[in-house]
Each structure stands twice: as structure tokens, then as C-alpha cells.
Amino acid sequence: MSAVPAAAASPAPDGAPSGEAAGGAHAHPPPPGDPATTLDRFLGGRLIIEQPARGAHRAGLDAILLAATVPAGARGLLVDLGAGVGTAGLAAGLRAPDLALHLVERDPATARLARANAARLAAQLAAIGRMAPISVIEIDIAAKASLREAAGLGRESADIVIMNPPYFAPARVRASPAGARAAAHVLPEAAGRPEAAGRVEPGDAGPDAPGPDASGPHRPPRREGEPGGLAVWTRAAAALARPDGRLALIFRGDALGEILAALDGRFGALAIRPIHPRDGMPAHRLLVTGRKGSRAAPTILPGLVLHPPAGSDYLPGADAILRGESGL
């Protein structure tokens, strides 16, 4: 585990669409052999994220929607599993600045960027007198409990766990040849070998794309009872969350059965919010929150529609969320 020091914020491009990367501006030179990075603005410019320009997942809409599920007055410890460069966890920290943050990421290069991003946010919060600690923990989420605890992830220590797992089983999709991008898109084949920090669909279609790579064969999803998959992530979340602790996850819109199966016996009182690209279209994302150990029945919340019938602008309600002006 590494706690991040305060650091001065670097300049970033202006005019980024809310909830999307601005792109085009390079940060400090990356180490030799690393892909170039960009500094991108989120939450109306208040959150600055350094991330790879190519060859790996780029954070966007899903991370900001996930962070918006965190109550603005939340306190205690938030753990972001598979944090990538830290976008969702840091956006949650900006929304609820009294939260301590653990960003959990197994890839060393990605974790290095998460540390830089965390240091930048720590400096912002310190400037307004908020000193809640932010740590980056470099470990595989499926590591043994003893290894997780040694790294700083205490059992039943988290008040809130958030996660954005890979969206696809290996048999369902053609993985990207770029290793970092493939790890972000494809669920683990078996327990003990999870791919950290899942984000968007194959083919790099972006956060609004509706499904699997249309150029590849559509294969059935993983059968219930097969090892690995989303259950690797929910097991880790259940081990880390305190009793009655809160879980929030974002996943594919066509995977409600998979989500319910993975959460069964671990989290209850589920609140399921469909995310629709446009009115009348099927949900392409599901935002799910729950409580550890609860036996309360699930509820379906009103859906969030992102875009008008034509054009790529966000509707006012979605835009307010992506700018950090309201939550979910």
C-alpha cells in the first residue's frame, strides 16, 4: 500500500464534455516504453485524470456514473476494486471529501498513474482543509485474504465498495490484442486469475456502445456454476465490506441474471437502475447498489436516459450527474 503525497495540479485541457475525456493534452513525459498519456477533465473540470492515450482502457462515463451512487455526505472508508487509473474512486472522493480511499489495482503501470492522480486530488482537498487519506494498493483482487490484509485491505473494513468489473466472459467476445485493454474488457476465466479494472466493450466502441463486438461471433455467456466471472469480484467485495456495508457496481445492461447470481447470499436490498442511451432503447448499463447481509427484496429504480433522440449531447439530468452537480 502506498499513501500518496500532496502534489500540485498540472494543467489540463479545457472544454471537455462532461463525463468524457478531453484528450489531446500530454502530461509529464511517461517512463521509457510507456504509452503516451493525456490529462483529462471530469466533473465539470474539477477532477483531472492522467491516463494512457492508447493501448489501454480510457475512463469515461461509466466511472462517473458509478461515483455518483456514493452519498455526498458519506464518511469512513471507500474501496475501489479494479480502480484502473482511479477515476471512479477519486470522483467519489471529490463528491464525499470526508471519505478515506483505497484504490485497488494490480497492473503496475496503471497503479503508477493512479498514484499521480490521487496525489493531485489530495492537493485539491488539502487546499480546502480536507485531509482524508488516499492510498493505492497494488494487488490482485483474488489474492488470498492474508495477502490482501498484508497489503492494507482489512477484512470487513470498508464502509463502501465500488467496482466496474470487466463486462464479458472470454467465450463471449473477441479480446483486444492489446493486453491492457483485453484485461479491462474480459472477465477472469477462473478464480485466482482475475483481470483487473474492467471498463468498456471490445472493439473500443466507447462507453455508450450497446453490446459485444458485432464483427465477432455472438456466443452464449458463461454458464451458472462455472468458475471465475463476476463472482470473483463480488466475493472480494463481500470480504472487504463491513456488515451492512454498501456495494455499488456498474455492469452490462443484458446481465441482470448474472449480477443477481453473483450477489446472491452476499448482498441484498439491491437497487437496480437501468441506464439507457436514448429513450425507448434497451438499457446498455445497470447500476446496482446493495447492503452486505441484507435480506430485503430488490427494487427497480427509474431509468436514466443519457441522450436526446438525435445528437450526442446529454440530457439535462444526465449532464448534471456527469458534471457532479447531482447524484444517483
Side-chain angles (χ1 to χ4, degrees), residues 31-312:
D34 277 12
T37 61
T38 62
L39 284 176
D40 303 313
R41 290 186 182 271
F42 296 86
L43 299 177
R46 294 181 297 129
L47 179 65
I48 301 170
I49 293 293
E50 182 180 3
Q51 57 182 328
R54 61 188 68 85
H57 166 74
R58 285 178 58 80
L61 175 75
D62 290 359
I64 302 304
L65 291 175
L66 182 60
T69 66
V70 175
R75 294 175 178 268
L77 173 64
L78 179 145
V79 175
D80 182 0
L81 291 179
V85 297
T87 309
L90 296 176
L94 192 57
R95 176 170 171 76
D98 290 322
L99 280 172
L101 305 177
H102 283 349
L103 310 179
V104 183
E105 172 56 48
R106 76 171 190 173
D107 178 68
T110 306
R112 183 171 60 246
L113 291 174
R115 291 187 184 97
N117 292 329
R120 188 177 299 109
L121 180 61
Q124 288 178 245
L125 296 180
I128 60 172
R130 301 298 181 98
M131 300 299 292
I134 307 174
S135 299
V136 177
I137 299 177
E138 196 173 315
I139 193 169
D140 192 315
I141 65 164
K144 292 181 179 179
S146 59
L147 296 177
R148 290 201 304 257
E149 291 174 12
L153 289 172
R155 183 173 181 81
E156 296 192 330
S157 61
D159 298 276
I160 302 172
V161 178
I162 65 173
M163 60 186 193
N164 183 1
Y167 286 157
F168 295 102
R172 191 176 181 193
V173 69
R174 184 178 62 192
S176 167
R181 184 174 292 156
H185 297 165
V186 183
L187 278 162
E189 189 71 72
R193 294 191 59 81
E195 304 300 340
R199 298 301 184 262
V200 297
E201 296 87 347
D204 214 25
D208 286 339
D213 185 353
S215 63
H218 184 86
R219 299 184 177 93
R222 177 186 309 278
R223 293 190 302 273
E224 184 175 349
E226 288 183 339
L230 186 58
V232 171
W233 291 72
T234 58
R235 280 196 298 268
L240 294 172
R242 64 169 175 79
D244 199 42
R246 179 183 175 91
L247 171 73
L249 68 88
I250 188 166
F251 206 60
R252 299 192 327 268
D254 64 352
L256 179 58
E258 188 175 349
I259 294 168
L260 295 177
L263 295 176
D264 185 43
R266 299 184 177 108
F267 294 89
L270 304 180
I272 302 160
R273 188 182 300 276
I275 308 297
H276 303 269
R278 304 181 196 282
D279 191 26
M281 294 183 67
H284 67 326
R285 296 289 184 272
L286 293 173
L287 267 174
V288 182
T289 62
R291 293 282 184 180
K292 179 178 174 178
S294 174
R295 296 187 178 183
T299 58
I300 306 294
L301 300 176
L304 174 68
V305 179
L306 298 176
H307 303 290
S312 59

Side-chain angles (χ1 to χ4, degrees), residues 23-34:
H26 292 281
H28 56 79
D34 277 12

